[in-house]
Amino acid sequence: MEDQKTPPVHIYMLNKAQQKDQTQQRDSEATAPLSASTGVATSLVESVDAPLEPLQLAVVSKKGDQLFRKHLKQDLFKLQFDTSYDICLKFKSKSYKLHCLVLMQSPYLASFLPLEQSIKKMAELERQDVSEFDRKQAVEEIDVTEHFHKDVSPAFGNASFERIIRYLYTGNLRIPREGTELYYLDIFKSFQLSEACNAMLGYLGTYLTPLDACRIVDTAYTKGHRGLYETCLRLIGINAEQIFSSDACLSFSYQLLKHCVISDGFDIEEQSLFEGIRKWITHHADLIANEAKDEPVNIIQDKKRQFTEEKWRDIEEFIRWPLMNADYLYEEVEPTGLISPYLLEEAYQFFALSNTKNASKYMPRGLRTKNRGGVKWCWSTDIDRCHSNITVSQKGTVITKGGSSSHTSVIANRGFKTGKHTWQLKLNSPSHWVATGVCFRSQLTSQLTNDYSNLYGASSQNQLYNTTGNLTTWNQNDIITCTLVISGGSANFNLKTNSGTDISATIVMTGEELTPISNLYTTGNELVLLKR
């Protein structure tokens, strides 16, 4: 039986009506009764052919056995309708009349069920020309309830078991799209269905969103799904600014929150991180107060204060206070009284010395003065951020104008609300009209065309846009250096080229991010992102 393993795996997403049905039908509820004649749940057989949208198709694991797997899958599917069976499993209040050959695909089931013995017994009875009725009478019913509750999960129920049965017979997995992925992944691991596990992990790795990652990252860690856990961390790291600015971070465990604060790879401004931590601690302190709502008010307040102080004292040393804007630290952080005086003193000392010649002597670079962000911005291929006539390289560092000559825009995949940011572009094309700078997304045209007049910057042909300064014509291979410094409700933008352009603008921040933008007109225009 070595070669007869699970057929290729199909994972299907339920449509909205089916999702509603599945939400109402939890594992504690029984699904459609089994057919008395075939032992197969009629609803399961019918649902296999229902029109579903495929989410993930796992490739067969061994070369050369694709045809064998195809025929095996067809034969196993037909076996559902076979009136013969050689094993009967009782789980909770339901009985399942099944086939040992199919169940042997699960090493877990094969480890405690007498599958080979049952096959030999049925073969011997058939050789003795025993009638089908008598052969069925000879099949013993085996109660697997205790095994499943001990080895799989106490929450494991008939609905979940019937999905496992359907998978073994058809190679199809059909589960609710959201909220149960890790639950079923654990079940597949318990039944030792490696291809089902790989298919689910592949699905999650492909379709996982940042919010999904926030929802399941802690469970992925505690359940030992290392690859999935690392995928979640990468997604959270790339989208850290948005996650900590929303309520998504409130679902984090404290261990995960602390990991984010310590990590160098999370792409987030320090002010945003501080606000997210403050929001997380306040939220969880309120949860503690709610749990103690029947206690005296002074006891509730003491518990909240104790929790708040304990968490801040544990985590504050990993926040990079010197990377914050000095005005923000003075106006927003210091008045809270949350931060130890020595950390504030260190940050102010860093601000005072950072631009002096002896800065490294008095203020050595350490954890709290090291910039975050293992993920750098790049030009975006998103349809909402890039005109269709612009081609963006795979790494997002080269943009090329195609189509006929016309104004077309592309913006970065992230923007900035605070801090200092520097990037360099190289003008790669001999014949050119390009404009570059920064903009607010709300000022872009819906078609991403004539956006040059709304940006803060300049063009290669001596045109200023909302800036002042010295402007020259740009040449092929010119390096364009952009610097954006945002603090205290305003931003200073500067653009220089090695051919003599030096322009700047002061921009009033509106709460919206400033985003790098380029507008290309001439066919063949090319810009290369060198440094960011």
Side-chain angles (χ1 to χ4, degrees), residues 56-67:
Q56 173 74 15
L57 189 60
V59 180
V60 289
S61 58
K62 293 181 180 180
K63 251 185 174 180
D65 64 353
Q66 192 167 3
L67 186 61

Side-chain angles (χ1 to χ4, degrees), residues 62-308:
K62 293 181 180 180
K63 251 185 174 180
D65 64 353
Q66 192 167 3
L67 186 61
F68 170 76
R69 295 290 188 91
K70 179 181 178 181
H71 289 300
L72 175 62
K73 180 180 175 181
Q74 292 172 349
D75 290 342
L76 291 177
F77 179 80
K78 293 174 183 176
L79 197 56
Q80 294 180 99
F81 306 98
D82 193 347
T83 57
S84 65
Y85 54 88
D86 49 18
I87 192 167
C88 182
L89 302 184
K90 182 180 180 182
F91 181 41
K92 295 188 174 180
S93 59
K94 298 184 70 174
S95 293
Y96 299 86
K97 298 169 181 177
L98 305 167
H99 302 83
C100 295
L101 179 66
V102 176
L103 300 184
M104 289 182 76
Q105 296 175 101
S106 165
Y108 165 69
L109 293 176
S111 68
F112 71 90
L113 292 176
L115 301 181
E116 290 191 17
Q117 296 91 315
S118 296
I119 292 174
K120 291 177 180 178
K121 180 180 178 181
M122 291 297 108
E124 179 63 23
L125 292 175
E126 188 173 0
R127 189 181 65 81
Q128 295 175 6
D129 203 22
V130 175
S131 67
E132 182 178 339
F133 176 81
D134 290 335
R135 289 202 304 271
K136 289 180 179 179
Q137 295 299 311
V139 175
E140 295 183 11
E141 186 175 74
I142 302 173
D143 195 326
V144 295
T145 305
E146 286 190 21
H147 282 281
F148 288 170
H149 283 183
K150 181 182 71 171
D151 301 332
V152 182
S153 167
F156 184 67
N158 292 94
S160 297
F161 183 48
E162 287 166 12
R163 289 191 180 96
I164 295 295
I165 293 173
R166 181 172 61 244
Y167 166 70
L168 292 175
Y169 275 92
T170 68
N172 291 330
L173 300 175
R174 194 155 72 116
I175 64 173
R177 183 171 184 174
E178 295 180 354
T180 59
E181 301 95 338
L182 292 186
Y183 169 71
Y184 280 101
L185 184 57
D186 285 337
I187 290 175
F188 300 149
K189 286 183 70 175
S190 297
F191 279 84
Q192 299 176 26
L193 300 171
S194 59
E195 291 195 2
C197 290
N198 292 337
M200 179 61 77
L201 289 171
Y203 159 67
L204 288 172
T206 302
Y207 294 94
L208 207 62
T209 67
L211 289 179
D212 290 332
C214 293
R215 176 172 54 83
I216 69 176
V217 59
D218 280 304
T219 307
Y221 176 76
T222 56
K223 295 290 187 180
H225 304 305
R226 180 167 180 170
L228 181 59
Y229 172 68
E230 291 174 351
T231 299
C232 290
L233 285 184
R234 281 196 298 273
L235 267 176
I236 294 171
I238 293 170
N239 299 277
E241 187 79 35
Q242 293 81 3
I243 287 170
F244 277 85
S245 298
S246 69
D247 290 341
C249 65
L250 299 182
S251 63
F252 289 178
S253 66
Y254 179 69
Q255 289 75 17
L256 176 60
L257 180 74
K258 190 173 179 179
H259 174 83
C260 296
V261 177
I262 294 173
S263 174
D264 289 333
F266 281 73
D267 197 20
I268 187 170
E269 303 291 342
E270 218 62 29
Q271 287 96 317
S272 301
L273 184 63
F274 170 74
E275 294 294 345
I277 294 169
R278 180 162 62 171
K279 181 166 51 178
W280 187 96
I281 292 177
T282 300
H283 172 75
H284 286 268
D286 289 340
L287 292 179
I288 289 174
N290 188 57
E291 291 175 359
K293 60 184 178 182
D294 295 330
E295 298 184 29
V297 174
N298 62 322
I299 299 297
I300 295 175
Q301 294 302 320
D302 285 344
K303 287 186 175 183
K304 286 185 65 174
R305 183 169 55 253
Q306 181 180 353
F307 175 85
T308 301

Side-chain angles (χ1 to χ4, degrees), residues 317-338:
E317 65 177 298
F318 303 108
I319 300 174
R320 304 175 190 191
W321 307 104
L323 300 186
M324 291 186 180
N325 174 266
D327 292 338
Y328 180 86
L329 195 70
Y330 176 73
E331 296 171 3
E332 300 293 335
V333 177
E334 189 173 348
T336 65
L338 296 170

Side-chain angles (χ1 to χ4, degrees), residues 318-385:
F318 303 108
I319 300 174
R320 304 175 190 191
W321 307 104
L323 300 186
M324 291 186 180
N325 174 266
D327 292 338
Y328 180 86
L329 195 70
Y330 176 73
E331 296 171 3
E332 300 293 335
V333 177
E334 189 173 348
T336 65
L338 296 170
I339 312 307
S340 297
Y342 82 93
L343 292 171
L344 291 172
E345 183 180 347
E346 177 188 76
Y348 289 132
Q349 185 182 16
F350 179 81
F351 298 145
L353 295 174
S354 59
N355 293 321
T356 67
K357 293 182 179 179
N358 296 321
S360 59
K361 178 179 178 181
Y362 296 103
M363 180 61 66
R365 291 275 172 178
L367 172 66
R368 284 191 291 275
T369 55
K370 181 181 179 183
N371 288 323
R372 293 185 190 271
V375 182
K376 299 178 180 180
W377 72 267
C378 60
W379 297 117
S380 176
T381 56
D382 290 352
I383 192 170
D384 293 333
R385 298 180 176 185

